[in-house]
Amino acid sequence: MSGGFPHVHLGPNAEAEPGSVPRSYRLTVLLERVTEWEAVAIAREVADVLAAAGIAIRGEDETVRSVIGVQPHPWPVGPATAEELIGAEHILVPKSVPQTPDLSQDYSPN
């Protein structure tokens, strides 16, 4: 499992190759210090990814294959494996990606 930005991969199956048998999964995403606007924007981006991957409402029969809910939730006190994530097979913690200095802002390597 690679691609995209580097992230911290935790959980009991972090080192294992993900299974290939189709079944239902719940993705739990906890966001701290975001506005409702930001949360809905992120949910829309996830919905776009699901649609592009073919994991959305199917065309003719309107079968729902994914649902995204946005609701307020208290930030857990403790590590990423807090009670909300107990039982998760994989836990991904997004990492910030270092940005190069803005050379137009009086940057000097000396």
XYZ file of all heavy atoms in Angstrom:
825
model
N 0.850 -1.176 0.000
C 0.000 0.000 0.000
C 0.887 1.229 0.000
O 1.449 1.602 1.007
C -0.880 0.014 1.254
C -2.203 -0.621 1.055
S -3.323 -0.638 2.470
C -2.807 0.622 3.545
N 1.001 1.852 -1.135
C 1.802 3.058 -1.200
C 1.123 4.039 -2.129
O 0.092 3.770 -2.704
C 3.215 2.733 -1.670
O 3.164 2.195 -2.972
N 1.744 5.175 -2.299
C 1.183 6.214 -3.144
C 0.700 7.362 -2.292
O 0.407 7.208 -1.116
N 0.638 8.536 -2.890
C 0.184 9.699 -2.161
C 1.241 10.203 -1.200
O 2.425 9.908 -1.332
N 0.811 10.956 -0.220
C 1.711 11.503 0.781
C 2.126 10.422 1.768
O 1.419 9.433 1.951
C 1.022 12.636 1.552
C 0.688 13.823 0.713
C -0.625 14.143 0.422
C 1.687 14.640 0.207
C -0.937 15.248 -0.351
C 1.396 15.743 -0.566
C 0.079 16.054 -0.840
N 3.253 10.603 2.454
C 3.627 9.637 3.501
C 2.722 9.825 4.722
O 2.366 10.949 5.064
C 5.071 10.018 3.825
C 5.173 11.462 3.460
C 4.242 11.660 2.293
N 2.327 8.743 5.332
C 1.477 8.782 6.515
C 1.996 7.774 7.526
O 2.732 6.857 7.181
C 0.025 8.437 6.168
C -0.565 9.306 5.109
N -0.722 10.661 5.257
C -1.010 9.018 3.866
C -1.259 11.161 4.157
N -1.432 10.175 3.291
N 1.573 7.931 8.765
C 1.882 6.946 9.790
C 0.798 5.875 9.704
O -0.390 6.173 9.773
C 1.889 7.588 11.197
C 2.157 6.535 12.252
C 2.922 8.707 11.260
N 1.191 4.622 9.513
C 0.244 3.509 9.377
C 0.345 2.651 10.631
O 1.377 2.053 10.896
C 0.579 2.701 8.127
C -0.507 1.749 7.720
N -0.580 1.221 6.465
C -1.560 1.236 8.383
C -1.623 0.421 6.374
N -2.230 0.406 7.540
N -0.738 2.616 11.405
C -0.783 1.881 12.665
C -1.873 0.813 12.602
O -2.498 0.614 11.586
C -1.083 2.862 13.814
C -0.179 4.091 13.926
C -0.771 5.089 14.907
C 1.217 3.686 14.330
N -2.116 0.160 13.717
C -3.169 -0.839 13.791
C -2.612 -2.244 13.649
O -1.485 -2.438 13.203
N -3.411 -3.245 14.017
C -2.927 -4.630 14.000
C -2.552 -5.145 12.618
O -1.752 -6.065 12.502
C -4.096 -5.427 14.587
C -5.296 -4.565 14.406
C -4.796 -3.147 14.465
N -3.107 -4.576 11.557
C -2.811 -5.041 10.204
C -1.950 -4.052 9.423
O -1.894 -4.112 8.191
C -4.109 -5.302 9.437
C -4.886 -6.460 10.020
O -4.334 -7.261 10.765
N -6.157 -6.540 9.706
N -1.267 -3.160 10.123
C -0.479 -2.118 9.451
C 0.581 -2.698 8.534
O 0.859 -2.148 7.478
C 0.162 -1.201 10.483
N 1.172 -3.811 8.911
C 2.243 -4.415 8.110
C 1.721 -5.432 7.093
O 2.465 -5.919 6.256
C 3.266 -5.095 9.030
C 3.924 -4.155 10.025
C 4.713 -3.035 9.344
O 5.361 -3.291 8.311
O 4.665 -1.900 9.849
N 0.434 -5.756 7.159
C -0.146 -6.775 6.282
C -0.705 -6.157 5.009
O -1.122 -4.999 4.995
C -1.259 -7.520 7.011
N -0.711 -6.936 3.957
C -1.336 -6.511 2.706
C -2.856 -6.545 2.914
O -3.392 -7.517 3.446
C -0.931 -7.472 1.581
C -1.295 -7.007 0.207
C -0.536 -5.772 -0.239
O 0.609 -5.553 0.197
O -1.099 -5.014 -1.054
N -3.580 -5.500 2.512
C -5.041 -5.495 2.693
C -5.702 -6.658 1.954
O -5.236 -7.086 0.907
C -5.470 -4.159 2.089
C -4.248 -3.310 2.144
C -3.092 -4.251 1.947
N -6.792 -7.152 2.516
C -7.537 -8.252 1.923
C -8.203 -7.845 0.620
O -8.435 -6.668 0.355
N -8.527 -8.830 -0.210
C -9.132 -8.557 -1.507
C -10.580 -9.024 -1.606
O -11.203 -8.901 -2.657
C -8.296 -9.211 -2.617
O -8.241 -10.612 -2.405
N -11.141 -9.556 -0.522
C -12.519 -10.039 -0.530
C -13.460 -8.858 -0.279
O -13.316 -8.152 0.721
C -12.726 -11.125 0.548
C -14.169 -11.568 0.598
C -11.799 -12.303 0.295
N -14.422 -8.600 -1.185
C -15.359 -7.492 -0.984
C -16.239 -7.724 0.250
O -16.761 -8.824 0.456
C -16.219 -7.500 -2.251
C -15.446 -8.274 -3.247
C -14.632 -9.271 -2.464
N -16.358 -6.705 1.083
C -17.254 -6.719 2.238
C -17.507 -5.278 2.629
O -16.939 -4.363 2.049
C -16.670 -7.522 3.393
C -15.366 -7.002 3.939
C -14.780 -7.916 4.983
N -14.542 -7.214 6.223
C -13.754 -7.645 7.183
N -13.142 -8.803 7.056
N -13.588 -6.958 8.276
N -18.335 -5.040 3.600
C -18.625 -3.677 4.043
C -17.574 -3.210 5.038
O -17.100 -3.987 5.866
C -19.997 -3.617 4.711
O -20.997 -3.961 3.782
N -17.192 -1.941 4.941
C -16.236 -1.331 5.865
C -16.780 0.008 6.332
O -17.526 0.667 5.613
C -14.879 -1.079 5.185
C -14.059 -2.323 5.010
C -14.109 -3.039 3.825
C -13.236 -2.786 6.035
C -13.360 -4.191 3.665
C -12.488 -3.936 5.879
C -12.550 -4.632 4.698
O -11.809 -5.776 4.539
N -16.372 0.388 7.509
C -16.665 1.719 8.032
C -15.347 2.455 8.147
O -14.404 1.960 8.776
C -17.324 1.625 9.402
C -17.580 2.964 10.022
C -18.154 2.827 11.424
N -18.697 4.099 11.814
C -19.781 4.241 12.541
N -20.434 3.181 12.956
N -20.203 5.430 12.852
N -15.244 3.617 7.526
C -14.075 4.470 7.665
C -14.419 5.535 8.699
O -15.411 6.237 8.554
C -13.719 5.151 6.343
C -13.399 4.248 5.159
C -13.110 5.100 3.926
C -12.228 3.348 5.468
N -13.612 5.649 9.724
C -13.826 6.656 10.743
C -12.769 7.737 10.569
O -11.578 7.446 10.627
C -13.712 6.041 12.154
O -14.662 4.977 12.259
C -13.985 7.076 13.230
N -13.207 8.955 10.325
C -12.290 10.076 10.151
C -12.589 11.083 11.252
O -13.710 11.582 11.352
C -12.471 10.746 8.766
C -11.528 11.927 8.613
C -12.270 9.731 7.655
N -11.603 11.347 12.081
C -11.758 12.352 13.127
C -10.976 13.588 12.718
O -9.800 13.497 12.363
C -11.233 11.817 14.469
C -11.951 10.579 15.018
C -11.246 10.085 16.278
C -13.394 10.887 15.315
N -11.623 14.726 12.741
C -11.002 15.991 12.359
C -11.045 16.938 13.553
O -12.093 17.098 14.167
C -11.759 16.623 11.189
C -11.947 15.770 9.943
C -12.922 16.436 8.986
C -10.619 15.520 9.271
N -9.920 17.556 13.844
C -9.890 18.525 14.945
C -9.728 19.928 14.377
O -8.986 20.148 13.414
C -8.737 18.232 15.904
C -8.764 19.182 17.102
C -7.559 19.018 18.021
O -6.492 18.624 17.538
O -7.699 19.304 19.208
N -10.406 20.869 14.990
C -10.302 22.294 14.660
C -10.588 22.591 13.192
O -9.802 23.236 12.510
C -8.931 22.834 15.035
C -8.680 22.845 16.509
C -7.346 23.477 16.804
N -7.127 23.516 18.243
C -6.042 23.989 18.797
N -5.072 24.476 18.052
N -5.911 23.985 20.098
N -11.708 22.111 12.711
C -12.157 22.469 11.370
C -13.540 23.082 11.482
O -14.286 22.815 12.424
C -12.189 21.256 10.394
C -10.807 20.678 10.188
C -13.150 20.195 10.860
N -13.885 23.901 10.512
C -15.235 24.465 10.472
C -16.174 23.466 9.801
O -15.727 22.510 9.159
C -15.253 25.775 9.664
O -14.951 25.484 8.298
C -14.259 26.797 10.234
N -17.449 23.721 9.944
C -18.424 22.867 9.268
C -18.217 22.944 7.752
O -18.330 21.936 7.050
C -19.841 23.291 9.640
C -20.913 22.384 9.077
C -22.301 22.759 9.533
O -22.457 23.666 10.387
O -23.250 22.145 9.018
N -17.886 24.136 7.250
C -17.595 24.299 5.821
C -16.457 23.385 5.396
O -16.525 22.722 4.355
C -17.217 25.750 5.499
C -18.389 26.672 5.413
C -18.809 27.554 6.388
C -19.309 26.815 4.336
N -19.916 28.233 5.952
C -20.248 27.793 4.701
C -19.411 26.198 3.097
C -21.285 28.176 3.860
C -20.454 26.583 2.263
C -21.376 27.558 2.644
N -15.370 23.374 6.181
C -14.218 22.528 5.853
C -14.587 21.051 5.916
O -14.172 20.265 5.059
C -13.061 22.816 6.809
C -12.447 24.186 6.615
C -11.511 24.588 7.738
O -11.818 24.304 8.925
O -10.469 25.179 7.434
N -15.366 20.667 6.921
C -15.767 19.262 7.059
C -16.604 18.810 5.867
O -16.394 17.722 5.320
C -16.532 19.056 8.365
N -17.543 19.650 5.443
C -18.380 19.299 4.287
C -17.532 19.267 3.013
O -17.706 18.387 2.161
C -19.571 20.270 4.153
C -20.308 20.054 2.844
C -20.524 20.090 5.331
N -16.581 20.185 2.876
C -15.706 20.187 1.699
C -14.885 18.903 1.640
O -14.729 18.305 0.564
C -14.788 21.410 1.725
N -14.379 18.464 2.785
C -13.618 17.212 2.827
C -14.526 16.032 2.498
O -14.140 15.130 1.751
C -12.935 17.048 4.202
C -11.825 18.094 4.338
C -12.399 15.627 4.390
C -11.288 18.244 5.749
N -15.750 16.035 3.037
C -16.701 14.961 2.737
C -16.997 14.906 1.239
O -17.091 13.821 0.656
C -17.985 15.159 3.538
N -17.111 16.071 0.604
C -17.356 16.100 -0.848
C -16.162 15.522 -1.615
O -16.334 14.804 -2.599
C -17.639 17.519 -1.321
C -19.000 18.032 -0.916
C -19.220 19.444 -1.455
N -20.462 19.997 -0.987
C -21.634 19.889 -1.622
N -21.694 19.223 -2.751
N -22.708 20.431 -1.125
N -14.949 15.823 -1.157
C -13.755 15.268 -1.814
C -13.735 13.754 -1.672
O -13.413 13.038 -2.626
C -12.494 15.882 -1.232
C -12.283 17.326 -1.660
C -10.951 17.887 -1.224
O -9.946 17.152 -1.314
O -10.927 19.046 -0.800
N -14.085 13.254 -0.492
C -14.145 11.805 -0.281
C -15.234 11.207 -1.177
O -15.037 10.153 -1.793
C -14.384 11.461 1.201
C -14.664 9.981 1.389
C -13.199 11.897 2.053
N -16.379 11.873 -1.281
C -17.463 11.392 -2.147
C -17.002 11.315 -3.603
O -17.329 10.355 -4.307
C -18.683 12.305 -2.020
N -16.225 12.305 -4.031
C -15.697 12.278 -5.403
C -14.769 11.088 -5.607
O -14.816 10.417 -6.644
C -14.945 13.577 -5.707
C -15.869 14.781 -5.841
O -17.098 14.588 -5.953
O -15.351 15.915 -5.816
N -13.928 10.813 -4.613
C -13.007 9.665 -4.703
C -13.806 8.367 -4.766
O -13.498 7.472 -5.563
C -12.025 9.657 -3.509
C -11.257 8.350 -3.435
C -11.070 10.844 -3.592
N -14.843 8.254 -3.950
C -15.672 7.046 -3.956
C -16.375 6.868 -5.300
O -16.442 5.754 -5.833
C -16.691 7.102 -2.817
C -16.101 7.046 -1.409
C -17.178 7.322 -0.368
C -15.417 5.722 -1.151
N -16.887 7.957 -5.847
C -17.554 7.869 -7.152
C -16.561 7.460 -8.229
O -16.857 6.601 -9.069
C -18.206 9.206 -7.493
N -15.371 8.051 -8.209
C -14.354 7.719 -9.208
C -13.915 6.266 -9.101
O -13.579 5.641 -10.106
C -13.142 8.640 -9.057
N -13.938 5.716 -7.878
C -13.535 4.326 -7.673
C -14.692 3.353 -7.906
O -14.518 2.141 -7.779
C -12.993 4.153 -6.254
N -15.870 3.868 -8.227
C -17.023 3.005 -8.460
C -17.685 2.529 -7.182
O -18.389 1.523 -7.176
N -17.454 3.250 -6.090
C -18.033 2.868 -4.786
C -19.023 3.950 -4.373
O -18.876 4.620 -3.363
C -16.929 2.711 -3.723
C -15.828 1.794 -4.224
C -17.505 2.164 -2.425
C -14.601 1.754 -3.336
N -20.041 4.156 -5.189
C -21.044 5.178 -4.931
C -22.404 4.624 -5.363
O -22.538 3.423 -5.549
C -20.689 6.447 -5.690
N -23.383 5.487 -5.539
C -24.695 5.028 -6.015
C -24.517 4.452 -7.413
O -23.941 5.086 -8.289
C -25.712 6.183 -6.040
C -26.005 6.653 -4.605
C -26.999 5.751 -6.723
C -26.925 7.854 -4.530
N -25.024 3.246 -7.600
C -24.958 2.624 -8.922
C -26.026 3.237 -9.804
O -27.124 3.540 -9.353
C -25.196 1.119 -8.817
C -23.997 0.388 -8.301
C -24.133 -1.084 -8.614
N -23.025 -1.803 -8.032
C -23.108 -3.040 -7.595
N -24.232 -3.691 -7.669
N -22.058 -3.627 -7.091
N -25.708 3.376 -11.073
C -26.559 4.027 -12.062
C -28.035 3.693 -12.057
O -28.832 4.349 -11.426
N -28.429 2.667 -12.771
C -29.838 2.434 -13.077
C -30.684 2.031 -11.880
O -31.810 2.478 -11.737
C -29.951 1.383 -14.178
C -29.368 1.852 -15.491
C -29.412 0.781 -16.557
O -30.110 -0.232 -16.371
O -28.733 0.967 -17.577
N -30.162 1.170 -11.002
C -30.994 0.701 -9.897
C -30.856 1.555 -8.638
O -31.516 1.306 -7.641
C -30.702 -0.764 -9.574
C -29.283 -1.002 -9.085
O -28.487 -0.047 -9.057
O -28.973 -2.151 -8.733
N -30.007 2.594 -8.686
C -29.836 3.521 -7.563
C -29.423 2.828 -6.265
O -29.783 3.256 -5.182
C -31.117 4.336 -7.333
C -31.478 5.264 -8.467
C -30.521 6.451 -8.595
O -30.300 7.137 -7.599
O -30.003 6.653 -9.702
N -28.658 1.737 -6.362
C -28.167 1.042 -5.185
C -27.091 1.887 -4.511
O -26.096 2.238 -5.123
C -27.569 -0.331 -5.562
O -28.584 -1.103 -6.192
C -27.049 -1.060 -4.338
N -27.313 2.212 -3.234
C -26.350 3.004 -2.483
C -25.226 2.091 -2.020
O -25.456 1.079 -1.359
C -27.011 3.692 -1.269
C -25.980 4.403 -0.429
C -28.085 4.660 -1.737
N -23.983 2.451 -2.371
C -22.825 1.655 -1.981
C -21.928 2.394 -1.002
O -20.948 1.844 -0.521
C -22.036 1.246 -3.221
C -22.844 0.356 -4.150
C -22.032 -0.152 -5.302
N -20.917 -0.960 -4.831
C -19.764 -1.069 -5.475
N -19.573 -0.417 -6.597
N -18.801 -1.821 -4.998
N -22.208 3.667 -0.727
C -21.437 4.418 0.255
C -22.271 5.589 0.777
O -23.113 6.123 0.059
C -20.125 4.927 -0.348
O -20.384 5.776 -1.442
N -22.030 5.938 2.016
C -22.721 7.053 2.664
C -21.698 7.785 3.514
O -20.885 7.157 4.191
C -23.873 6.552 3.579
C -24.519 7.701 4.316
C -24.901 5.778 2.775
N -21.723 9.109 3.489
C -20.821 9.915 4.308
C -21.667 10.788 5.221
O -22.549 11.511 4.758
C -19.919 10.807 3.429
C -19.087 9.940 2.486
C -19.033 11.694 4.296
C -18.383 10.711 1.406
N -21.407 10.720 6.517
C -22.099 11.570 7.474
C -21.126 12.580 8.057
O -19.972 12.255 8.330
N -21.579 13.806 8.234
C -20.773 14.850 8.874
C -21.519 15.261 10.132
O -22.658 15.709 10.063
C -20.583 16.068 7.932
C -19.818 17.173 8.633
C -19.872 15.652 6.650
N -20.866 15.063 11.269
C -21.516 15.403 12.536
C -20.475 15.868 13.538
O -19.320 15.437 13.472
C -22.267 14.193 13.089
C -21.364 13.021 13.434
C -22.135 11.742 13.690
O -22.884 11.301 12.830
N -21.944 11.160 14.839
N -20.867 16.756 14.441
C -19.918 17.181 15.477
C -19.543 16.001 16.368
O -20.361 15.102 16.609
C -20.695 18.224 16.289
C -21.926 18.520 15.524
C -22.159 17.392 14.570
N -18.303 15.994 16.808
C -17.830 14.901 17.657
C -16.698 15.435 18.523
O -15.839 16.157 18.030
C -17.320 13.754 16.770
C -17.028 12.501 17.518
N -15.872 12.321 18.246
C -17.736 11.371 17.672
C -15.886 11.111 18.803
N -17.002 10.523 18.464
N -16.679 15.080 19.800
C -15.576 15.566 20.647
C -14.254 14.931 20.232
O -14.220 13.772 19.830
C -15.982 15.124 22.052
C -16.930 13.992 21.846
C -17.619 14.248 20.530
N -13.193 15.726 20.294
C -11.864 15.203 19.991
C -11.463 14.284 21.131
O -11.538 14.661 22.296
C -10.877 16.344 19.827
C -9.543 15.871 19.347
C -8.411 15.769 20.093
C -9.209 15.399 18.048
N -7.386 15.263 19.321
C -7.845 15.024 18.059
C -9.929 15.250 16.864
C -7.191 14.526 16.944
C -9.281 14.749 15.754
C -7.930 14.396 15.804
N -11.035 13.044 20.820
C -10.683 12.108 21.895
C -9.428 12.559 22.639
O -8.495 13.072 22.037
C -10.437 10.792 21.166
C -10.106 11.189 19.771
C -10.839 12.471 19.496
N -9.450 12.384 23.941
C -8.271 12.674 24.744
C -7.441 11.403 24.769
O -7.909 10.363 25.200
C -8.673 13.089 26.179
C -7.444 13.311 27.027
C -9.541 14.322 26.129
N -6.240 11.448 24.231
C -5.389 10.265 24.188
C -4.838 10.036 22.798
O -5.008 10.854 21.898
N -4.190 8.921 22.609
C -3.552 8.635 21.319
C -4.562 8.339 20.218
O -5.752 8.242 20.459
C -2.693 7.410 21.627
C -3.377 6.757 22.775
C -3.970 7.881 23.591
N -4.065 8.192 18.999
C -4.926 7.946 17.834
C -5.708 6.656 17.968
O -6.704 6.464 17.288
C -4.078 7.910 16.570
N -5.277 5.757 18.832
C -6.006 4.498 19.025
C -7.051 4.644 20.122
O -7.349 3.704 20.833
C -5.029 3.353 19.377
O -4.275 3.739 20.516
C -4.105 3.042 18.223
N -7.621 5.829 20.240
C -8.644 6.100 21.249
C -9.842 5.178 21.043
O -9.933 4.454 20.055
C -9.070 7.561 21.168
N -10.772 5.224 21.966
C -11.930 4.331 21.956
C -12.672 4.329 20.615
O -13.173 3.301 20.176
C -12.902 4.741 23.065
C -14.053 3.788 23.242
C -14.902 4.152 24.435
O -14.338 4.394 25.510
O -16.135 4.180 24.279
N -12.689 5.469 19.918
C -13.388 5.549 18.635
C -12.756 4.656 17.573
O -13.385 4.304 16.595
C -13.407 6.990 18.117
C -14.296 7.925 18.905
C -13.612 8.454 20.160
O -12.421 8.153 20.367
O -14.266 9.146 20.938
N -11.478 4.300 17.749
C -10.777 3.512 16.734
C -10.449 2.093 17.199
O -9.787 1.355 16.475
C -9.494 4.233 16.312
C -9.715 5.598 15.660
C -8.393 6.289 15.399
C -10.515 5.468 14.383
N -10.930 1.715 18.370
C -10.703 0.348 18.835
C -11.387 -0.605 17.856
O -12.527 -0.401 17.456
C -11.238 0.148 20.271
C -10.342 0.892 21.250
C -11.335 -1.331 20.625
C -10.796 0.824 22.687
N -10.675 -1.591 17.429
C -11.208 -2.551 16.469
C -10.847 -2.229 15.030
O -11.109 -3.023 14.140
N -10.245 -1.067 14.801
C -9.834 -0.728 13.438
C -8.677 -1.627 13.015
O -7.736 -1.821 13.770
C -9.417 0.744 13.362
N -8.764 -2.177 11.828
C -7.699 -3.037 11.311
C -6.501 -2.223 10.853
O -5.368 -2.673 10.927
C -8.241 -3.893 10.166
C -9.315 -4.875 10.636
C -9.875 -5.707 9.513
O -9.411 -5.584 8.362
O -10.794 -6.486 9.785
N -6.766 -1.048 10.336
C -5.719 -0.130 9.874
C -6.038 1.253 10.415
O -7.200 1.663 10.410
C -5.668 -0.064 8.344
C -5.341 -1.362 7.690
N -4.051 -1.753 7.416
C -6.140 -2.367 7.259
C -4.071 -2.941 6.840
N -5.325 -3.339 6.732
N -5.040 1.972 10.868
C -5.206 3.349 11.332
C -4.160 4.191 10.607
O -2.967 3.916 10.710
C -5.014 3.463 12.853
C -6.041 2.588 13.581
C -5.124 4.915 13.301
C -5.767 2.429 15.067
N -4.606 5.187 9.863
C -3.696 6.072 9.151
C -3.727 7.447 9.808
O -4.798 8.005 10.022
C -4.095 6.212 7.684
C -3.987 4.946 6.849
C -4.514 5.195 5.442
C -2.554 4.460 6.785
N -2.560 7.963 10.118
C -2.438 9.308 10.679
C -1.735 10.157 9.615
O -0.568 9.913 9.309
C -1.628 9.304 11.991
C -1.512 10.706 12.553
C -2.260 8.355 13.001
N -2.447 11.125 9.017
C -1.818 11.950 7.979
C -0.631 12.728 8.529
O -0.677 13.243 9.637
C -2.934 12.916 7.560
C -4.188 12.261 8.007
C -3.839 11.477 9.230
N 0.422 12.780 7.746
C 1.612 13.556 8.105
C 1.673 14.799 7.246
O 1.299 14.772 6.090
C 2.886 12.736 7.856
C 3.158 11.669 8.877
C 4.400 10.882 8.534
C 5.659 11.668 8.770
N 6.875 10.844 8.615
N 2.169 15.870 7.830
C 2.419 17.074 7.043
C 3.604 16.821 6.137
O 4.543 16.126 6.506
C 2.736 18.247 7.957
O 1.619 18.568 8.742
N 3.549 17.370 4.960
C 4.642 17.234 4.012
C 5.427 18.540 4.030
O 4.855 19.605 3.822
C 4.109 16.941 2.596
C 5.244 16.871 1.604
C 3.317 15.644 2.608
N 6.731 18.491 4.301
C 7.518 19.730 4.327
C 7.445 20.460 2.989
O 7.476 19.832 1.936
C 8.947 19.250 4.595
C 8.811 17.859 5.090
C 7.530 17.317 4.550
N 7.322 21.764 3.054
C 7.261 22.583 1.852
C 8.595 23.273 1.640
O 9.254 23.664 2.589
C 6.158 23.641 1.986
C 4.779 23.039 2.210
C 4.308 22.229 1.029
O 4.404 22.678 -0.106
N 3.828 21.031 1.267
N 8.971 23.457 0.385
C 10.202 24.171 0.090
C 10.015 25.639 0.462
O 8.901 26.153 0.428
C 10.564 24.060 -1.400
O 9.477 24.590 -2.156
C 10.826 22.627 -1.793
N 11.082 26.338 0.826
C 10.949 27.757 1.166
C 10.445 28.557 -0.022
O 10.713 28.224 -1.165
C 12.372 28.188 1.531
C 13.144 26.933 1.715
C 12.442 25.858 0.957
N 9.692 29.588 0.278
C 9.198 30.465 -0.774
C 10.339 31.381 -1.192
O 10.694 32.324 -0.489
C 8.012 31.273 -0.265
C 7.353 32.085 -1.363
O 7.936 32.185 -2.464
O 6.267 32.602 -1.126
N 10.932 31.113 -2.332
C 12.096 31.864 -2.783
C 11.783 33.317 -3.112
O 12.671 34.145 -3.180
C 12.737 31.171 -3.987
C 13.257 29.758 -3.697
C 13.812 29.141 -4.969
C 14.322 29.796 -2.620
N 10.521 33.625 -3.297
C 10.172 35.012 -3.617
C 10.019 35.870 -2.366
O 9.811 37.064 -2.465
C 8.885 35.045 -4.426
O 7.803 34.583 -3.625
N 10.150 35.300 -1.187
C 9.961 36.027 0.062
C 11.289 36.348 0.731
O 11.500 36.048 1.900
C 9.081 35.210 1.018
C 7.662 35.016 0.546
C 6.867 36.304 0.646
O 7.078 37.099 1.562
N 5.972 36.514 -0.299
N 12.209 36.954 0.005
C 13.522 37.360 0.547
C 14.283 36.198 1.150
O 14.975 36.338 2.160
C 13.361 38.477 1.588
C 12.754 39.725 0.975
O 13.094 40.027 -0.188
O 11.960 40.394 1.653
N 14.138 35.028 0.578
C 14.845 33.845 1.065
C 16.293 33.885 0.597
O 16.595 34.196 -0.549
C 14.171 32.581 0.544
C 14.925 31.322 0.857
C 14.906 30.768 2.135
C 15.697 30.710 -0.125
C 15.624 29.625 2.423
C 16.404 29.561 0.152
C 16.365 29.023 1.429
O 17.063 27.873 1.706
N 17.184 33.582 1.509
C 18.598 33.505 1.156
C 19.211 32.288 1.831
O 19.071 32.132 3.039
C 19.339 34.771 1.619
O 20.721 34.589 1.418
N 19.883 31.398 1.085
C 20.477 30.220 1.697
C 21.742 30.555 2.489
O 22.299 29.693 3.143
C 20.807 29.319 0.502
C 20.980 30.261 -0.628
C 20.061 31.421 -0.353
N 22.215 31.803 2.437
C 23.449 32.189 3.136
C 23.179 32.713 4.523
O 22.445 33.445 4.885
C 24.201 33.267 2.338
C 24.610 32.700 0.989
O 24.949 31.541 0.896
N 24.558 33.526 -0.031
